Amino acid sequence: MYAYKRLLVALDLTAMDDTLVRYTAFLAKNINADAIYFLHVSPSLELPDDIGAEYRDVIAPVDETLEHSIKDMLDRYFDYDCTIEVEAQEGNPGENILKWIKVKNIDLVIVGRKQEMKGTGALGSRLSRIAPCSILFVPENFEAKLEDITVSSDYSKHSAIALEEAYDLAKSSSAKLHLVHVTHVPPGYHKTGKSYEEFGKIMVENARKDADKFLKKYLPDYQDKVNVLIKLDDDKSPADKLYDASKELNADLMIVGSKGRTALASLLLGSVADKLAGYTRTLPLLVVKDKKENLSFFEALLKL
């Protein structure tokens, strides 16, 4: 497992921050985080000239005021002993967060996923595509708990990394772990003389055997510790089947690996992870990336 020891939480000074801080405080205990950085970036932190001039003796610099407000929120939820830093900066939010990922050697970025609250979610989507480390999306007002975790798997290398992360997190939180795989009926099934339903059963059974081989390879002691769920994809859209399976299992967290055989393909997202990141707004989603594989390519991007 690639341990998540250094976390970065992206705040936007809305009600979403309360959920993020509360969830991060809960998660930090389960993963034994070493350091957590709370960062807010605003295009401008300057007060209008007339207000600044009139109240300069009583108004603190905006960045100090924001940092103090964030620290007050942390005091309400944090009783976990680790390094905590709070920073309010001026600039481009995406660019500043990406720089902090490098400077602070971040393992996991935590961002909000809004549904009713104002906000486009564009920052989180951008970060999920180009950040070198894993990223966790937390929906607004989500209760901080871990009882059931689903991990999406296509039995690839990146699925194995996601599985190992999910397994360790399930152990540390005593959560149930469910592996979900989506299979499909090949286009030429009718040439076998079997119906769609008959061949679908064959594909599901074959996928279940592959799941057993996959688990034995990467989790030798998985017996009775991982529930396997195979879903049949009837519309070539596995992302919605994965999401539906997670809801069916009452999952508290979905985990999916980014996909690719090159640094670029891994740094960016596979189509399934990208779609899940785009519409999973009622369930936390952890997109697992191989930080070691991505880091050198990411550093090259920052120099462009």
Side-chain angles (χ1 to χ4, degrees):
M1 173 182 176
Y2 190 87
Y4 295 143
K5 292 299 184 182
R6 303 174 67 82
L7 315 183
L8 173 62
V9 186
L11 304 178
D12 66 356
L13 303 186
T14 69
M16 184 74 238
D17 290 352
D18 188 82
T19 297
L20 286 178
V21 171
R22 178 164 34 87
Y23 195 95
T24 301
F26 165 79
L27 182 65
K29 290 182 179 180
N30 282 282
I31 63 177
N32 295 315
D34 290 337
I36 309 174
Y37 303 93
F38 293 89
L39 177 64
H40 168 70
V41 184
S42 174
S44 176
L45 293 178
E46 294 184 2
L47 289 171
D49 291 340
D50 53 348
I51 293 179
E54 184 175 355
Y55 298 100
R56 60 176 173 268
D57 294 331
V58 295
I59 297 180
V62 176
D63 55 348
E64 292 181 13
T65 302
L66 295 179
E67 289 168 9
H68 181 75
S69 176
I70 294 170
K71 288 177 182 177
D72 285 344
M73 188 187 307
L74 298 183
D75 289 340
R76 295 202 300 270
Y77 295 113
F78 265 85
D79 58 2
Y80 176 72
D81 186 20
C82 68
T83 298
I84 293 179
E85 291 187 19
V86 176
E87 181 85 11
Q89 295 182 350
E90 183 176 275
N92 180 285
E95 292 178 2
N96 284 35
I97 290 173
L98 289 173
K99 289 178 181 177
W100 263 56
I101 290 174
K102 177 184 177 182
V103 171
K104 300 296 184 179
N105 192 26
I106 298 299
D107 302 312
L108 175 66
V109 177
I110 302 175
V111 298
R113 176 63 85 192
K114 296 178 180 179
Q115 187 172 14
E116 301 293 335
M117 298 178 184
K118 291 183 179 180
T120 63
L123 176 60
S125 296
R126 183 191 175 199
L127 290 174
S128 69
R129 291 184 175 94
I130 63 177
C133 58
S134 299
I135 183 166
L136 173 63
F137 295 91
V138 180
E140 62 185 54
N141 300 319
F142 192 84
E143 180 182 353
K145 62 188 180 76
L146 277 176
E147 297 175 359
D148 288 271
I149 299 172
T150 59
V151 56
S152 163
S153 178
D154 59 4
Y155 312 142
S156 66
K157 169 192 169 185
H158 286 78
S159 288
I161 295 173
L163 173 66
E164 291 170 357
E165 297 287 355
Y167 189 57
D168 279 15
L169 186 55
K171 284 197 300 182
S172 66
S173 62
S174 299
K176 297 177 183 177
L177 180 57
H178 310 270
L179 183 144
V180 182
H181 174 79
V182 178
T183 188
H184 66 279
V185 175
Y189 75 90
H190 59 279
K191 294 181 181 179
T192 66
K194 297 184 180 296
S195 67
Y196 179 90
E197 290 74 16
E198 290 173 329
F199 213 90
K201 290 181 180 179
I202 293 174
M203 295 302 297
V204 168
E205 285 305 311
N206 186 70
R208 193 172 297 278
K209 293 177 182 177
D210 288 341
D212 187 59
K213 295 176 184 177
F214 178 74
L215 288 168
K216 284 181 178 178
K217 179 178 180 180
Y218 292 103
L219 294 178
D221 62 342
Y222 84 94
Q223 284 84 356
D224 301 322
K225 298 178 182 178
V226 182
N227 173 50
V228 176
L229 180 62
I230 308 296
K231 303 292 285 187
L232 189 63
D233 185 11
D234 56 2
D235 60 4
K236 296 182 180 180
S237 179
D240 62 352
K241 303 298 184 299
L242 295 169
Y243 179 72
D244 291 343
S246 294
K247 297 296 288 184
E248 176 185 327
L249 293 164
N250 295 315
D252 308 303
L253 175 66
M254 288 182 66
I255 300 180
V256 61
S258 63
K259 187 177 179 180
R261 293 184 177 86
T262 66
L264 175 59
S266 180
L267 182 61
L268 305 178
L269 294 188
S271 60
V272 173
D274 195 24
K275 288 181 180 178
L276 284 173
Y279 69 68
T280 307
R281 294 182 181 272
T282 60
L283 191 65
L285 173 69
L286 172 60
V287 179
V288 175
K289 295 188 180 186
D290 188 340
K291 179 181 173 183
K292 293 180 180 178
E293 181 178 280
N294 293 335
L295 200 54
S296 60
F297 187 82
F298 173 71
E299 289 175 344
L301 277 181
L302 289 180
K303 294 177 182 178
L304 294 178

